[in-house]
């Protein structure tokens, strides 16, 4: 009965993870995943404005018109009135390129948006281009290669963990990496935040930091287990004790990412705002995997292993005697 | 970790100050030399389009009813051509099946606006093909008896590259298996030993050598270097499945992702500061670094100076290494990697100092505490940083677009982190503890009680009990 509270968080957290992942699969099946324009999501259209028009008012007008049509914008880019290149003359007009999150906008909706913008900016509807889906140059092959990269890292870490700690150490690395990435994607799908390159970069680096943190914990655990061989402490409780100290320095990383993401929220551009939100999700998921899932899985397996070793030893009297002598010897200097 | 004698420590401090000042000048201050101007390492950084905008080219798709598959393969090819040319963060996408947009960052260093413009102008030069019949005469003269055979780049070309052989540079056009057969057929049926290279409306005669026996590739020689690079790029871009209209292309500068309050500017310099994304994200990075430094100052006092100096050295190193990678671009995702990487350096330093404090509080001398902490942390740091470094290298090799810049940045940061924690911080600490009175202040360590005070405390405790 004493062991129950220690296993309880692992069981609960695994159930929570599974529920989130299954939920996200349903959402993915019915609504799909929201992609940022950097990964080929969303649509784009252009609004031609006069060179003399106030840009600030125009952008604000487009924002209001989109809001009234129930469309979430992603970003605005203004084509400059520059003549820095070869043979480029001054234009009497400039264009505002608008990226929106919606895809496959129907003709009726498109007309509604264009009319709303033309009325707001008091320009002809012809000055607003049709809304077209963005097609990214990033192919599925690129994404697969990136996934392969993560897979290779996971396999290398398994080999490292296997030789440095034991097979469970290696397994916990693989489980942690997979859990972190899958749970992050699940939460991004569930929250409908657009997935972009910044989000992918954030979760990839945080996963690597998580691995570094786990290595610190396991290294400390290894030293502690060698130092306190004779003590009757279960591997999982030792791991929890060690983890409390070993993860403190990594609070710097968590704090840095959190403060940075909160400050990014002040950028009045939606795609930056969504990147900041996805970074916060990545941070929460990584902290959850680092603090709860990975050490708990490793500790759980190590407990089973320890129980099996104890059971084997108790059936062998000759070995027991030798072990007992060794334990007694190890305890002496402690006294 | 033995301390230096005082005179050596003074000399080393002065040397460190000099190196610090030189590093600062080269990293952040533009210098005017008699032969030219060095704009500082930080100014040579390429800033990505998502932060400050850049140049763009917009091309209409002239192929009717182009399929999405063909569009994707074509824009991927365009992206790879620009990436090979050093524009690692080039943003290429299609808007519906109507047009293609290519976005490049503002040129920096040796690149000029004109170079980038001409590269954007090379797009849409026309489809590349080879023919045994002169295209201008084949349409007008009906007397030609040769059956026209055309080898199209999109279907039969495997690779186009510039090669060198005994100082002679030439363009190699390598065909696939079917292309090889077709090229042989073109050569065999060509009248007057001439075949024709066609790029849109432009065509060029290519004499066939009578000794040619390898039809797997065609070599183009006798072109000056600048035109050769442009021609190579045009041929590569001419192998796309869709055709783009280069003559009516819209090539210009664009501002960053703007908010309502921002104004686009024709000046590159101004556009950096008018972009809220750039200003806020960069300020956020500085705020995060300052905040962590403040934590060190509060918790460890004077040690914050050591952390500050080592962080500045790390910054110089980072800028220098990045300067050696000309295709590197600083985008929002790279700033994210900088935030995480620099906080990782802070976390390792924190671990080391906390260990020193713990060991000292256990009764060890400062010297012994330093040595023991250094020995304890060295293995863990080597392992974790090596894991981060090699993982970043794997990601770098298999990533695409901006993600490869992020992986490069993180690999550099993990290498710098290892160097800082194994060499720079211990070295600075050694200098610090060499000065009398500074050793305890460096770590905000309490003054250790002498034997009489300890006996007095013990007696008091006994009485209280």
């Amino acid at each position: 009965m004493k062991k129950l509270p220690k296993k309880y968080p692992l069981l609960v957290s695994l159930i929570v993870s599974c529920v989130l992942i299954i939920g996200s699969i349903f959402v993915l099946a019915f609504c799909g995943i929201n992609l940022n324009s950097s990964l080929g999501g969303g649509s784009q259209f252009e609004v031609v404005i006069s060179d003399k028009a106030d840009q600030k008012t125009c952008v604000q007008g487009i924002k209001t018109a989109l809001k009234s049509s129930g469309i979430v914008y992603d970003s605005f880019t203004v084509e400059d009135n520059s003549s820095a290149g070869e043979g480029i003359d001054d234009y009497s007009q400039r264009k505002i390129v608008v990226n929106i999150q919606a895809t496959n906008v129907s003709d009726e909706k498109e007309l509604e948006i264009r009319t709303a913008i033309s009325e707001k900016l008091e320009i002809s509807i012809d000055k607003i281009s049709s809304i077209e889906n963005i097609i990214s140059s990033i192919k599925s092959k690129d994404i697969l290669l990136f996934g392969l990269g993560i897979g290779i890292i996971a396999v290398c870490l398994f080999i490292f963990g296997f030789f440095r700690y034991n097979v469970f150490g290696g397994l916990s690395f693989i489980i942690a990496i997979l859990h972190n990435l899958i749970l992050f994607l699940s939460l991004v799908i569930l929250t409908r935040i657009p997935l972009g390159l910044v989000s992918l970069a954030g979760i990839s680096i945080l996963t690597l930091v998580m691995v570094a943190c786990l290595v610190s914990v396991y290294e400390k655990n290894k030293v502690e287990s060698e130092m306190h061989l004779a003590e009757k402490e279960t591997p999982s409780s030792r791991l929890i004790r060690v983890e409390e100290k070993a993860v403190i320095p990594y609070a710097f990383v968590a704090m840095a990412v959190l403060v940075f993401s909160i400050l990014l929220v002040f950028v009045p551009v939606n795609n930056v705002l969504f990147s900041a939100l996805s970074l916060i999700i990545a941070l929460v998921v990584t902290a959850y995997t680092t603090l709860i899932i990975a050490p708990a899985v490793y500790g759980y397996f190590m407990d089973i292993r320890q129980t099996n070793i104890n059971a084997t030893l108790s059936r062998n009297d000759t070995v027991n005697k030798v072990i007992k002598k060794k334990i007694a010897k190890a305890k002496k200097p402690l006294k | 970790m033995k301390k230096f004698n005082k005179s050596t420590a003074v000399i080393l401090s002065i040397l460190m100050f000099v190196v610090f000042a030189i590093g600062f000048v080269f990293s952040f201050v533009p210098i005017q030399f008699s032969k030219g101007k060095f704009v500082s390492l930080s100014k040579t950084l390429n800033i990505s389009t998502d932060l400050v905008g850049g140049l763009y080219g917009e091309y209409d798709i002239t192929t009717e009813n182009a399929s999405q598959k063909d569009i994707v393969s074509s824009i991927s090819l365009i992206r790879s051509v620009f990436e090979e040319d050093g524009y690692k963060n080039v943003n290429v996408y299609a808007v519906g099946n109507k047009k293609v947009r290519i976005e490049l960052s503002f040129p920096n260093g040796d690149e000029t606006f004109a170079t980038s413009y001409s590269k954007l102008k090379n797009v849409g030069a026309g489809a590349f093909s080879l023919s045994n019949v002169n295209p201008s005469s084949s349409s007008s003269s009906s007397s030609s008896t040769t059956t026209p055979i055309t080898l199209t780049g999109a279907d039969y070309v495997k690779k186009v590259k510039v090669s060198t052989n005994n100082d002679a540079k030439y363009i190699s056009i390598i065909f696939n298996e079917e292309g090889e057969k077709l090229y042989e057929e073109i050569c065999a049926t060509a009248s007057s030993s001439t075949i024709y290279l066609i790029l849109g409306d432009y065509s060029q005669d290519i004499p066939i050598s009578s000794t040619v026996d390898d039809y797997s590739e065609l070599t183009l020689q006798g072109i000056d270097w600048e035109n050769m690079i442009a021609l190579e790029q045009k041929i590569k871009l001419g192998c796309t499945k869709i055709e783009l209209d280069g003559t009516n292309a819209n090539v210009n500068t664009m501002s960053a992702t703007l908010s309502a309050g921002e104004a686009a500017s024709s000046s590159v310099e101004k556009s950096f500061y008018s972009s809220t994304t750039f200003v806020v994200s960069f300020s956020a990075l500085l705020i995060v670094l300052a905040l962590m430094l403040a934590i060190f100052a509060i918790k460890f006092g004077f040690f914050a100076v050591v952390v500050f100096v080592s962080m500045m050295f790390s910054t110089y190193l980072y800028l220098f290494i990045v300067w050696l990678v000309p295709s590197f671009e600083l985008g929002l995702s790279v700033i994210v990697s900088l935030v995480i990487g620099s906080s990782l350096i802070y976390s390792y330093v924190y671990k080391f100092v906390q260990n020193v404090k713990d060991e000292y509080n256990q009764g060890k001398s400062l010297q012994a505490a330093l040595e023991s902490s250094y020995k304890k942390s060295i293995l863990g740091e080597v392992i974790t940083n090596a894991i981060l470094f090699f993982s970043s290298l794997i990601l770098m090799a298999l990533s695409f677009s901006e993600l490869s810049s992020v992986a490069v940045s993180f690999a550099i940061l993990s290498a710098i982190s290892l160097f800082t924690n194994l060499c720079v911080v211990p070295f600075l600490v050694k200098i610090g503890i060499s000065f009398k009175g500074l050793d305890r202040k460096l770590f905000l360590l309490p003054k250790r009680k002498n034997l009489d005070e300890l006996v007095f405390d013990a007696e008091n405790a006994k009485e209280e009990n």
Side-chain angles (χ1 to χ4, degrees):
Chain A
M1 283 300 284
K2 274 183 184 175
K3 279 184 180 177
L4 190 64
K6 281 171 196 165
K7 285 176 186 173
Y8 184 68
L10 174 64
L11 194 66
V12 171
S13 46
L14 281 178
I15 291 170
V16 168
S17 298
C18 285
V19 167
L20 287 172
I21 291 164
I22 292 166
S24 72
I25 291 170
F26 276 104
V27 176
L28 185 68
F30 292 108
C31 310
I33 184 168
N34 264 357
L35 291 176
N36 186 317
S37 56
S38 61
L39 286 176
S43 314
Q44 190 181 84
F45 65 94
E46 292 173 347
V47 181
V48 178
I49 56 167
S50 159
D51 195 27
K52 289 177 183 102
D54 180 29
Q55 221 176 92
K56 186 182 169 183
T57 320
C58 290
V59 173
Q60 199 55 52
I62 298 170
K63 273 185 184 177
T64 317
L66 287 174
K67 203 175 175 185
S68 66
S69 308
I71 295 287
V72 182
Y73 79 90
D74 205 23
S75 63
F76 290 88
T77 315
V78 179
E79 292 175 359
D80 294 345
N81 188 17
S82 152
S83 54
E86 290 174 330
I88 305 293
D89 303 319
D90 282 349
Y91 294 119
S92 57
Q93 55 186 27
R94 60 172 65 171
K95 281 191 283 187
I96 298 176
V97 180
V98 186
N99 282 357
I100 57 171
Q101 275 186 28
T103 49
N104 301 320
V105 179
S106 64
D107 292 345
E108 295 85 43
K109 192 77 189 170
E110 185 183 311
L111 188 66
E112 183 193 328
I113 295 167
R114 290 174 69 193
T115 314
I117 294 171
S118 72
E119 280 170 5
K120 200 82 198 168
L121 302 187
E122 292 171 352
I123 54 172
S124 158
I125 200 163
D126 303 335
K127 300 277 181 189
I128 304 155
S129 73
S130 60
I131 302 173
E132 300 285 346
N133 283 354
I134 289 174
I135 303 168
S136 170
S137 59
I138 293 160
K139 290 197 280 190
S140 47
K141 188 183 148 196
D142 296 320
I143 305 277
L144 280 176
L145 269 178
F146 181 68
L148 180 72
I150 300 277
I152 292 172
I153 292 171
V155 171
C156 291
L157 283 169
F158 173 76
I159 295 167
F160 163 77
F162 178 76
F163 285 108
R164 181 85 188 145
Y165 313 110
N166 51 45
V167 69
F168 305 118
L171 263 181
S172 75
F173 282 133
I174 291 195
I175 292 171
I177 290 173
L178 288 179
H179 180 270
N180 208 40
L181 295 176
I182 294 172
L183 195 64
F184 170 74
L185 285 176
S186 304
L187 285 178
V188 164
I189 292 167
L190 286 173
T191 52
R192 312 301 298 151
I193 289 174
L195 183 73
L197 283 175
V198 179
S199 329
L200 277 182
I203 188 65
S204 314
I205 300 172
L206 282 173
T207 306
L208 293 184
V209 173
M210 176 195 72
V211 169
C213 183
L214 289 178
V215 168
S216 299
V217 174
Y218 294 174
E219 281 297 316
K220 208 156 191 181
N221 178 59
K222 199 181 172 193
V223 174
E224 289 274 319
S225 63
E226 281 162 8
M227 275 170 69
H228 306 288
L229 246 181
E231 286 178 12
K232 279 184 180 176
E233 193 180 22
T234 59
S236 60
S237 50
R238 183 174 53 238
L239 204 63
I240 290 166
R241 182 169 55 80
V242 164
E243 189 196 12
E244 278 166 11
K245 264 194 164 185
V247 296
I248 290 171
Y250 290 90
F252 272 101
V253 181
M255 188 201 74
V257 175
L258 192 65
V259 172
F260 182 74
S261 309
I262 290 170
L263 289 171
L264 273 194
V265 170
F266 291 104
V267 177
V269 179
N270 272 357
N271 63 359
V272 180
L273 171 77
F274 291 133
S275 301
L277 292 178
S278 64
L279 268 179
I280 294 173
I281 291 179
L283 179 68
V284 171
V285 168
T286 309
Y288 172 65
T289 313
T290 315
L291 297 175
I292 297 170
I293 299 290
V297 167
Y298 184 42
Y300 178 71
F301 284 131
M302 290 298 284
D303 277 353
I304 293 174
R305 189 186 174 211
Q306 191 66 46
T307 316
N308 286 341
I309 291 171
N310 290 345
T312 319
L313 288 178
S314 61
R315 285 198 294 269
N316 193 331
D317 287 338
T318 332
V319 178
N320 272 353
K321 274 177 194 171
V322 177
I323 294 289
K324 271 178 189 169
K325 267 185 189 174
K326 276 191 178 175
I327 290 173
K329 212 175 180 182
K331 271 187 179 175
K332 261 184 190 171
L334 288 173
K335 278 178 184 173
Chain B
M1 197 178 276
K2 284 178 185 170
K3 57 183 174 184
F4 301 111
N5 62 45
K6 205 180 171 185
S7 54
T8 318
V10 170
I11 294 167
L12 285 174
S13 306
I14 295 166
L15 267 176
M16 287 294 285
F17 182 76
V18 171
V19 173
F20 184 89
I22 292 172
F24 186 84
V25 167
F26 271 94
S27 301
F28 303 109
V29 185
I31 311 164
Q32 185 74 50
F33 294 110
S34 56
K35 284 182 179 174
K37 193 180 177 185
F38 177 71
V39 289
S40 80
L41 291 174
S42 58
K43 285 267 177 182
T44 55
L45 269 178
N46 296 315
I47 314 285
S48 177
T49 48
D50 62 342
L51 289 182
V52 292
L55 305 169
Y56 75 93
E58 201 175 75
Y59 313 84
D60 288 331
I61 299 172
T62 49
T63 311
E64 277 182 25
N65 302 323
S67 70
Q68 181 149 339
K69 196 182 164 193
D70 286 348
I71 293 174
V72 173
S73 77
S74 301
I75 55 179
S76 296
L77 180 73
I78 296 171
R79 182 162 64 94
S80 65
V81 169
F82 275 88
E83 280 178 348
E84 280 169 28
D85 220 19
Y87 295 92
K88 288 285 177 200
N89 284 21
V90 59
N91 191 13
V92 185
Y93 59 93
V95 184
N97 54 2
K98 290 187 176 165
K99 57 187 177 183
V100 167
R101 265 182 84 98
I102 303 171
E103 296 173 353
L104 304 177
S105 62
F106 280 121
N108 217 340
D110 295 335
E111 288 283 321
T112 60
F113 268 101
T115 330
S116 297
Y117 270 101
S118 64
K119 274 169 188 161
L120 285 171
K121 284 282 182 187
N122 286 341
V123 182
F128 163 74
S129 60
L130 287 173
S131 179
N132 55 349
V133 179
N134 188 345
S136 51
S137 63
S138 64
S139 53
S140 55
S141 85
S142 54
S143 60
S144 172
T145 51
T146 318
T147 319
I149 304 171
T150 310
L151 183 154
T152 51
D155 299 317
Y156 302 106
V157 172
K158 200 160 74 178
K159 204 176 178 183
V160 182
K161 60 176 183 180
V162 172
S163 307
T164 314
N165 187 15
N166 296 333
D167 294 337
K169 291 186 176 104
Y170 55 88
I171 298 174
S172 298
I173 302 168
I174 302 160
F175 306 110
N176 59 21
E177 265 181 47
E178 289 169 354
E180 196 177 329
K181 284 174 198 160
L182 206 60
Y183 175 47
E184 192 175 354
E185 214 175 314
I186 288 173
C187 291
T189 54
S191 57
S192 63
S193 298
T194 306
I195 60 167
Y196 302 91
L197 182 150
I198 303 156
L199 257 174
D201 296 333
Y202 166 84
S203 78
Q204 190 185 323
D205 303 1
I206 304 170
I208 317 164
S209 164
S210 55
T211 55
V212 65
D213 54 354
D214 179 16
Y215 292 98
S216 64
E217 72 174 81
L218 164 69
T219 53
L220 303 173
Q221 284 172 308
I223 312 161
D224 64 90
W225 178 245
E226 216 162 274
N227 284 332
M228 187 181 280
I229 295 293
L231 184 64
E232 181 219 9
Q233 201 183 29
K234 281 178 187 173
I235 294 173
K236 278 180 181 173
L237 294 166
C239 294
T240 51
K241 300 261 183 195
I242 55 167
E243 270 194 62
L244 302 175
D245 180 9
T247 44
N248 296 315
N250 194 1
V251 179
N252 206 339
T253 53
M254 62 173 195
S255 64
T257 46
L258 291 173
S259 71
E262 296 165 18
S265 169
S266 57
S267 154
V268 176
E269 193 74 21
K270 273 185 191 171
S271 71
F272 275 57
Y273 305 110
S274 65
S275 159
T276 314
T277 318
F278 178 74
V279 173
V280 175
S281 55
F282 203 71
S283 309
L285 171 69
L286 293 179
I287 289 170
V288 165
L289 294 178
L291 197 68
M292 285 191 284
L293 205 62
I295 292 172
F296 268 93
I298 293 163
K299 205 158 165 51
F300 302 112
F302 202 56
F303 195 80
V305 177
V306 172
V307 178
F308 174 71
V309 174
S310 49
M311 284 309 284
M312 286 303 282
F313 279 121
S314 304
T315 312
Y316 304 158
L317 261 177
Y318 181 82
L319 287 173
F320 178 71
I321 298 170
V322 160
W323 176 67
L324 296 175
V325 187
S327 61
F328 182 85
E329 274 186 24
L330 186 79
L332 185 59
S333 45
V334 175
I335 292 186
V336 171
S337 82
L338 276 173
V339 169
I340 299 173
S342 48
S343 57
L344 211 56
I345 300 177
Y346 275 109
S347 74
Y348 289 135
V349 180
Y350 178 89
K351 215 189 296 181
F352 170 68
V353 194
Q354 191 59 47
N355 275 344
V356 172
K357 235 179 165 175
D358 289 347
E359 300 263 347
Y360 182 84
N361 289 338
Q362 279 170 17
K364 282 185 183 172
S365 69
L366 181 62
Q367 190 87 15
L370 278 170
E371 267 175 35
S372 148
S373 307
Y374 185 70
K375 275 180 191 164
K376 265 186 190 173
S377 61
I378 193 165
L379 182 68
E381 268 175 37
V382 169
I383 291 175
T384 48
N385 282 304
I387 286 174
L388 292 177
F389 181 73
F390 288 111
S391 303
S392 307
L393 287 188
I394 293 171
L395 275 187
M396 191 177 85
L398 296 168
S399 294
F400 56 90
S401 187
E402 248 179 271
L403 290 179
S404 54
S405 284
V406 173
V408 171
S409 170
F410 205 63
I412 295 170
L413 281 168
S414 47
I416 289 175
S417 164
L418 190 61
F419 176 70
T420 306
N421 289 292
L422 291 189
C423 305
V424 181
V425 172
F427 182 69
L428 291 173
V429 167
K430 271 167 84 174
I431 293 177
I433 59 172
S434 307
F435 294 100
K436 204 178 175 184
L438 198 64
D439 47 1
R440 271 192 313 103
K441 275 182 195 165
L442 200 61
F443 297 95
L444 265 194
L445 296 174
K447 196 184 173 188
R448 195 163 272 162
K449 289 173 181 173
N450 61 31
L451 194 62
D452 291 340
E453 285 170 332
L454 285 171
V455 171
F456 181 74
D457 284 352
E459 280 172 357
N460 274 348
K462 208 175 179 182
E463 274 174 22
E464 277 173 19
N465 284 334

